Amino acid sequence: MLLDNILTLTIFLPMAGVVALFFIGKEKSDTIKYVGIGTTMLTFAVSMVLWLKFDSTTSAFQFARQVPWIRALNISYSVGIDGMSLLLILLTTFLTPLALLGTWNSIQHRLREYTMMILLLEVGMVGVFAALDLFLFYVFWEAMLIPMYFIIGIWGGQDRIYAAVKFFLYTLGGSLLMLVAILTLGYLSSTMQGGRFTMNLVDLYRVGPSLAMHVQTWLFLAFALSFAIKVPLFPLHTWLPDAHVQAPTAGSVILAGVLLKMGTYGFIRFCLPLFPDAAIRLAPWMSLLAVVGIVYGALVAMVQTDMKKLVAYSSVSHLGFVVLGIFAMTEEGIQGAMIQMVNHGLSTGALFLLVGFVYDRTHTRLISEYGGIVKPMPVYAAALLFMSLSSIGLPGLNGFVGEFLVLLGAFKSKILDTYAFAGIAALGVIFSAVYLLWMYQRVVFGPMRAGGLYGGHHLADINRRERWSLVPIAIFIVWIGVYPSLFLTKSAPVAKRIVEQIDAVKRGAVPRYTMAPAPARRMAPARHPARLAAERAGESERLP
């Protein structure tokens, strides 16, 4: 019985920590921290059961649970996971306790409320990756906005209100169009299934591909806009640097490590299987935006003076690779996109932790304020180099696996039908080495400022707690880089299923459903003027 509900337990277990925090006094800061860490670590332990019991030989949704919710609209609490969902749920439950551990002393005011927001955010993130009902998915999708808005707006930097409102409006604006598309899709399903309205994703997988091209195109664009904002895809990325710079360190780790993946997850989970005709038609345009984002994000990262903003723009570049892999629509490309989502969460999450460590000591993120940091902080310097090389994509580390598969998939793609996308995207790998190693050289080996390091203040190297927040990430970075098969086998059936569906659509094997025209109104036959006059006078029975 417990195994049947293990996915639901993974989703809502952080709520137990929220409830417990209500009964803990605000002054008991250590107790609050231990409750937050303990709850998130327990959630990770429970999620590991999903990994151990998962069947990697099938693309079907596993650990499925469906309970009627809104019977009038046939909406249910329906959850389940496949290989892609599994990887992202584990990424979420893995990073959340590390984000709290790495920022143990960063938050000094309203600590209880801050920990509650982190736990509520974890509920929303895991729920998004597990939802198999579009209405439920939308509820979790919007629910995430609230805790992240408060995390940025209350515990952020000097311009936190501006960044929080910008983040909220961008995401909410795209989400409203997605809501319209969800309702439209549900209505179309009812017209095709004898009036049976449904939001169940498995049922809609049979409805969406059979819609007419123009209907698919509009629905695809409505979904894609919301997902592109979340990625963020160029030119809808402008909220991201502000949100990252102003968010507290744990908020930045979760934002980069998990929240951005929800956009790319949405492309794979919804846009490709629901609207394959439109996806094929628009794939070159989406790939063009991805390639522009790869190059643009890297070039802008080169000129940043703020370490945190540099890492934020690197996310725009690296997630462009994920989008390119998705719309290459090959097994290699989609596999590369899914593993690169995990890779980016690990390496970029670690980079944000490292930036937060020195910010807590110096209260500045300006690259020009640093220099010669290798002398007082040698362990920190080694960790920063390791995580930077992971983000660059050094062979033997995780980033190389994802970028290689994405570029290979783009080269082989018959949908894109050109090597140009892969060739230009490869420049992003070179540019990432430029901006990350240049930043590293200036911060770690650059000349010290006159008057002593940071005005004469002594810098202590990272402590045991901070090291323990980095060690698990480093282990998985090497593990994926050396033996990626363990992770790729989980997501391989999902990639194969999507590619087979795309091939079926290209062959014309999917029946097309077109909206039937409204029946023409039948005109009443003309009647003789004398009969009309008699009817009005009530004398129609006397007329022959």
mmCIF file of all heavy atoms in Angstrom, residues 69-92:
data_model
loop_
_atom_site.group_PDB
_atom_site.id
_atom_site.type_symbol
_atom_site.label_atom_id
_atom_site.label_comp_id
_atom_site.label_asym_id
_atom_site.label_seq_id
_atom_site.Cartn_x
_atom_site.Cartn_y
_atom_site.Cartn_z
ATOM 1 N N TRP A 69 -11.285 14.163 -8.613
ATOM 2 C CA TRP A 69 -11.137 15.428 -7.898
ATOM 3 C C TRP A 69 -12.331 16.331 -8.176
ATOM 4 O O TRP A 69 -13.129 16.609 -7.284
ATOM 5 C CB TRP A 69 -9.815 16.091 -8.323
ATOM 6 C CG TRP A 69 -9.477 17.355 -7.598
ATOM 7 C CD1 TRP A 69 -10.056 17.833 -6.461
ATOM 8 C CD2 TRP A 69 -8.474 18.302 -7.959
ATOM 9 N NE1 TRP A 69 -9.484 19.020 -6.088
ATOM 10 C CE2 TRP A 69 -8.506 19.339 -6.988
ATOM 11 C CE3 TRP A 69 -7.555 18.394 -9.000
ATOM 12 C CZ2 TRP A 69 -7.651 20.440 -7.053
ATOM 13 C CZ3 TRP A 69 -6.705 19.478 -9.054
ATOM 14 C CH2 TRP A 69 -6.747 20.484 -8.091
ATOM 15 N N ILE A 70 -12.485 16.767 -9.403
ATOM 16 C CA ILE A 70 -13.636 17.588 -9.800
ATOM 17 C C ILE A 70 -14.434 16.746 -10.783
ATOM 18 O O ILE A 70 -14.172 16.737 -11.998
ATOM 19 C CB ILE A 70 -13.194 18.920 -10.430
ATOM 20 C CG1 ILE A 70 -12.236 19.660 -9.484
ATOM 21 C CG2 ILE A 70 -14.401 19.795 -10.751
ATOM 22 C CD1 ILE A 70 -11.683 20.945 -10.056
ATOM 23 N N ARG A 71 -15.408 15.997 -10.275
ATOM 24 C CA ARG A 71 -16.117 15.020 -11.100
ATOM 25 C C ARG A 71 -16.888 15.667 -12.236
ATOM 26 O O ARG A 71 -17.021 15.077 -13.318
ATOM 27 C CB ARG A 71 -17.065 14.203 -10.218
ATOM 28 C CG ARG A 71 -16.355 13.339 -9.197
ATOM 29 C CD ARG A 71 -17.338 12.533 -8.374
ATOM 30 N NE ARG A 71 -16.679 11.738 -7.345
ATOM 31 C CZ ARG A 71 -16.201 10.515 -7.547
ATOM 32 N NH1 ARG A 71 -16.336 9.955 -8.742
ATOM 33 N NH2 ARG A 71 -15.611 9.847 -6.569
ATOM 34 N N ALA A 72 -17.432 16.854 -12.027
ATOM 35 C CA ALA A 72 -18.242 17.500 -13.062
ATOM 36 C C ALA A 72 -17.443 17.740 -14.340
ATOM 37 O O ALA A 72 -18.005 17.720 -15.444
ATOM 38 C CB ALA A 72 -18.810 18.821 -12.536
ATOM 39 N N LEU A 73 -16.139 17.979 -14.210
ATOM 40 C CA LEU A 73 -15.287 18.242 -15.369
ATOM 41 C C LEU A 73 -14.346 17.084 -15.669
ATOM 42 O O LEU A 73 -13.438 17.223 -16.502
ATOM 43 C CB LEU A 73 -14.471 19.520 -15.134
ATOM 44 C CG LEU A 73 -15.269 20.810 -14.974
ATOM 45 C CD1 LEU A 73 -14.347 21.982 -14.660
ATOM 46 C CD2 LEU A 73 -16.076 21.095 -16.241
ATOM 47 N N ASN A 74 -14.565 15.960 -15.003
ATOM 48 C CA ASN A 74 -13.720 14.779 -15.213
ATOM 49 C C ASN A 74 -12.248 15.085 -14.934
ATOM 50 O O ASN A 74 -11.352 14.595 -15.624
ATOM 51 C CB ASN A 74 -13.887 14.245 -16.649
ATOM 52 C CG ASN A 74 -13.401 12.820 -16.780
ATOM 53 O OD1 ASN A 74 -13.458 12.032 -15.824
ATOM 54 N ND2 ASN A 74 -12.907 12.473 -17.965
ATOM 55 N N ILE A 75 -12.000 15.920 -13.926
ATOM 56 C CA ILE A 75 -10.635 16.272 -13.521
ATOM 57 C C ILE A 75 -10.272 15.432 -12.304
ATOM 58 O O ILE A 75 -11.080 15.274 -11.390
ATOM 59 C CB ILE A 75 -10.530 17.774 -13.198
ATOM 60 C CG1 ILE A 75 -10.729 18.597 -14.480
ATOM 61 C CG2 ILE A 75 -9.197 18.106 -12.545
ATOM 62 C CD1 ILE A 75 -10.818 20.091 -14.239
ATOM 63 N N SER A 76 -9.057 14.906 -12.305
ATOM 64 C CA SER A 76 -8.653 14.014 -11.230
ATOM 65 C C SER A 76 -7.258 14.368 -10.732
ATOM 66 O O SER A 76 -6.487 15.051 -11.423
ATOM 67 C CB SER A 76 -8.679 12.550 -11.702
ATOM 68 O OG SER A 76 -7.756 12.370 -12.765
ATOM 69 N N TYR A 77 -6.973 13.897 -9.525
ATOM 70 C CA TYR A 77 -5.599 13.932 -9.035
ATOM 71 C C TYR A 77 -4.897 12.737 -9.669
ATOM 72 O O TYR A 77 -5.029 11.601 -9.219
ATOM 73 C CB TYR A 77 -5.565 13.854 -7.508
ATOM 74 C CG TYR A 77 -4.174 13.613 -6.950
ATOM 75 C CD1 TYR A 77 -3.262 14.650 -6.835
ATOM 76 C CD2 TYR A 77 -3.772 12.337 -6.564
ATOM 77 C CE1 TYR A 77 -1.979 14.423 -6.344
ATOM 78 C CE2 TYR A 77 -2.504 12.097 -6.060
ATOM 79 C CZ TYR A 77 -1.616 13.141 -5.967
ATOM 80 O OH TYR A 77 -0.345 12.921 -5.489
ATOM 81 N N SER A 78 -4.191 12.983 -10.752
ATOM 82 C CA SER A 78 -3.552 11.924 -11.517
ATOM 83 C C SER A 78 -2.061 12.205 -11.599
ATOM 84 O O SER A 78 -1.642 13.235 -12.128
ATOM 85 C CB SER A 78 -4.153 11.840 -12.925
ATOM 86 O OG SER A 78 -3.522 10.837 -13.696
ATOM 87 N N VAL A 79 -1.245 11.294 -11.052
ATOM 88 C CA VAL A 79 0.202 11.461 -11.056
ATOM 89 C C VAL A 79 0.853 10.174 -11.539
ATOM 90 O O VAL A 79 0.285 9.082 -11.435
ATOM 91 C CB VAL A 79 0.738 11.843 -9.662
ATOM 92 C CG1 VAL A 79 0.269 13.223 -9.241
ATOM 93 C CG2 VAL A 79 0.345 10.798 -8.622
ATOM 94 N N GLY A 80 2.053 10.301 -12.047
ATOM 95 C CA GLY A 80 2.833 9.169 -12.521
ATOM 96 C C GLY A 80 4.135 9.692 -13.118
ATOM 97 O O GLY A 80 4.250 10.887 -13.428
ATOM 98 N N ILE A 81 5.115 8.823 -13.272
ATOM 99 C CA ILE A 81 6.411 9.269 -13.776
ATOM 100 C C ILE A 81 6.926 8.305 -14.837
ATOM 101 O O ILE A 81 6.621 7.113 -14.829
ATOM 102 C CB ILE A 81 7.459 9.399 -12.656
ATOM 103 C CG1 ILE A 81 7.676 8.059 -11.933
ATOM 104 C CG2 ILE A 81 7.066 10.487 -11.676
ATOM 105 C CD1 ILE A 81 8.834 8.070 -10.966
ATOM 106 N N ASP A 82 7.695 8.861 -15.769
ATOM 107 C CA ASP A 82 8.502 8.059 -16.678
ATOM 108 C C ASP A 82 9.968 8.382 -16.398
ATOM 109 O O ASP A 82 10.293 9.016 -15.386
ATOM 110 C CB ASP A 82 8.115 8.314 -18.132
ATOM 111 C CG ASP A 82 8.235 9.786 -18.528
ATOM 112 O OD1 ASP A 82 8.814 10.580 -17.743
ATOM 113 O OD2 ASP A 82 7.757 10.156 -19.615
ATOM 114 N N GLY A 83 10.875 7.974 -17.284
ATOM 115 C CA GLY A 83 12.296 8.160 -17.025
ATOM 116 C C GLY A 83 12.713 9.608 -16.893
ATOM 117 O O GLY A 83 13.561 9.952 -16.060
ATOM 118 N N MET A 84 12.127 10.480 -17.722
ATOM 119 C CA MET A 84 12.471 11.902 -17.648
ATOM 120 C C MET A 84 11.996 12.504 -16.327
ATOM 121 O O MET A 84 12.746 13.232 -15.663
ATOM 122 C CB MET A 84 11.860 12.655 -18.832
ATOM 123 C CG MET A 84 12.110 14.152 -18.789
ATOM 124 S SD MET A 84 11.481 15.026 -20.244
ATOM 125 C CE MET A 84 9.733 14.685 -20.136
ATOM 126 N N SER A 85 10.772 12.207 -15.942
ATOM 127 C CA SER A 85 10.254 12.721 -14.668
ATOM 128 C C SER A 85 11.091 12.228 -13.497
ATOM 129 O O SER A 85 11.370 12.975 -12.556
ATOM 130 C CB SER A 85 8.804 12.276 -14.461
ATOM 131 O OG SER A 85 7.987 12.682 -15.535
ATOM 132 N N LEU A 86 11.510 10.971 -13.566
ATOM 133 C CA LEU A 86 12.303 10.391 -12.488
ATOM 134 C C LEU A 86 13.594 11.173 -12.267
ATOM 135 O O LEU A 86 13.945 11.529 -11.133
ATOM 136 C CB LEU A 86 12.618 8.935 -12.805
ATOM 137 C CG LEU A 86 13.552 8.210 -11.827
ATOM 138 C CD1 LEU A 86 12.857 8.020 -10.484
ATOM 139 C CD2 LEU A 86 13.998 6.872 -12.406
ATOM 140 N N LEU A 87 14.310 11.461 -13.363
ATOM 141 C CA LEU A 87 15.577 12.178 -13.241
ATOM 142 C C LEU A 87 15.378 13.570 -12.651
ATOM 143 O O LEU A 87 16.149 14.019 -11.803
ATOM 144 C CB LEU A 87 16.245 12.290 -14.615
ATOM 145 C CG LEU A 87 16.746 10.978 -15.241
ATOM 146 C CD1 LEU A 87 17.322 11.240 -16.629
ATOM 147 C CD2 LEU A 87 17.776 10.302 -14.354
ATOM 148 N N LEU A 88 14.320 14.254 -13.066
ATOM 149 C CA LEU A 88 14.109 15.623 -12.613
ATOM 150 C C LEU A 88 13.578 15.678 -11.183
ATOM 151 O O LEU A 88 13.894 16.610 -10.433
ATOM 152 C CB LEU A 88 13.161 16.347 -13.572
ATOM 153 C CG LEU A 88 13.743 16.586 -14.970
ATOM 154 C CD1 LEU A 88 12.701 17.174 -15.910
ATOM 155 C CD2 LEU A 88 14.963 17.494 -14.903
ATOM 156 N N ILE A 89 12.778 14.705 -10.791
ATOM 157 C CA ILE A 89 12.319 14.660 -9.403
ATOM 158 C C ILE A 89 13.494 14.402 -8.470
ATOM 159 O O ILE A 89 13.635 15.049 -7.413
ATOM 160 C CB ILE A 89 11.229 13.587 -9.227
ATOM 161 C CG1 ILE A 89 9.923 14.059 -9.869
ATOM 162 C CG2 ILE A 89 11.002 13.270 -7.751
ATOM 163 C CD1 ILE A 89 8.818 13.023 -9.862
ATOM 164 N N LEU A 90 14.369 13.474 -8.845
ATOM 165 C CA LEU A 90 15.543 13.207 -8.022
ATOM 166 C C LEU A 90 16.478 14.411 -7.988
ATOM 167 O O LEU A 90 17.098 14.693 -6.958
ATOM 168 C CB LEU A 90 16.280 11.973 -8.542
ATOM 169 C CG LEU A 90 15.600 10.635 -8.240
ATOM 170 C CD1 LEU A 90 16.327 9.496 -8.922
ATOM 171 C CD2 LEU A 90 15.549 10.387 -6.745
ATOM 172 N N LEU A 91 16.598 15.125 -9.110
ATOM 173 C CA LEU A 91 17.399 16.352 -9.111
ATOM 174 C C LEU A 91 16.832 17.359 -8.113
ATOM 175 O O LEU A 91 17.581 18.013 -7.370
ATOM 176 C CB LEU A 91 17.432 16.949 -10.517
ATOM 177 C CG LEU A 91 18.162 18.284 -10.672
ATOM 178 C CD1 LEU A 91 19.660 18.116 -10.430
ATOM 179 C CD2 LEU A 91 17.923 18.877 -12.066
ATOM 180 N N THR A 92 15.508 17.478 -8.072
ATOM 181 C CA THR A 92 14.853 18.418 -7.157
ATOM 182 C C THR A 92 15.088 18.040 -5.701
ATOM 183 O O THR A 92 15.495 18.870 -4.878
ATOM 184 C CB THR A 92 13.340 18.453 -7.448
ATOM 185 O OG1 THR A 92 13.119 18.797 -8.817
ATOM 186 C CG2 THR A 92 12.647 19.470 -6.551
#
